[in-house]
Amino acid sequence: MKIALASDHAGFELKEKVKAFLEKEGYKLFDFGCFSSDSVDYPLYGVKVARAVLSQEADRGILICGTGLGMSMVANRFPGIRAALCHEPFSARMSRLHNDANILVLGGRIIGDVLAFEVVKVFLETPFEGGRHARRVEQIDALTKEA
Ligand code: RB5
């Protein structure tokens, strides 16, 4: 599975740790930055991961900013992206089972690295349940055509 990853400065430290964790787990990664703790604007990085997922260059995305809020707002502007801000494994699991989330968002100033690794693992390993949930996900996509 190919994973697109990006953060702003507030998520940089956690991104590096998540990256090392995923490399060890054998995932193929595309790191879209940022590459230091120097201040940057999160929309410029969120957009890269959203596009990589939409173009199918990556199967899933992971975005990290300070709270996860800004990155969620950016990613969810893109029709076809379902970005889920999750800070514990239950939400991460449900975001896959019921919402077919394709981007996981984390807040680097909120979650510790060990819990983040568990959330990431659950997010990447849980399949979409389909069935009635597929109908609901289609309804989300239909809304973006209406707007
Ligand atoms: C950066 O200071 C911070 O605003 C950003 O990382 C993020 O939390 C925005 O939602």
Side-chain angles (χ1 to χ4, degrees):
M1 190 187 283
K2 291 173 284 177
I3 313 297
L5 193 65
S7 73
D8 71 355
H9 54 286
F12 171 69
E13 222 175 278
L14 182 60
K15 172 176 74 73
E16 293 303 297
K17 289 178 181 165
V18 166
K19 188 177 161 183
F21 170 74
L22 289 176
E23 273 165 355
K24 216 167 59 196
E25 294 277 311
Y27 288 95
K28 181 167 165 47
L29 298 179
F30 301 106
D31 184 353
F32 288 99
C34 60
F35 298 107
S36 78
S37 297
D38 294 345
S39 182
V40 293
D41 298 334
Y42 60 82
L44 305 180
Y45 294 87
V47 88
K48 292 173 200 249
V49 165
R51 288 192 176 132
V53 170
L54 287 174
S55 69
Q56 296 179 352
E57 183 185 356
D59 302 299
R60 304 266 174 84
I62 299 176
L63 285 170
I64 312 176
C65 61
T67 57
L69 293 169
M71 286 295 201
S72 301
M73 291 175 193
V74 170
N76 281 316
R77 284 288 169 114
F78 289 77
I81 291 296
R82 291 174 299 281
L85 175 57
C86 304
H87 288 132
E88 34 69 35
F90 178 74
S91 300
R93 184 170 144 76
M94 297 313 290
S95 79
R96 290 290 312 134
L97 285 175
H98 286 194
N99 311 114
D100 198 17
N102 45 18
I103 294 183
L104 170 69
V105 189
L106 298 167
R109 290 174 176 161
I110 294 181
I111 192 170
D113 53 356
V114 176
L115 183 55
F117 299 158
E118 195 180 332
V119 168
V120 164
K121 196 168 159 64
V122 167
F123 180 78
L124 297 178
E125 290 178 359
T126 305
F128 179 44
E129 211 171 86
R132 67 187 187 283
H133 303 296
R135 184 179 70 237
R136 293 164 186 166
V137 168
E138 279 161 24
Q139 287 168 2
I140 298 175
D141 289 336
L143 285 175
T144 57
K145 279 172 209 136
E146 242 175 59

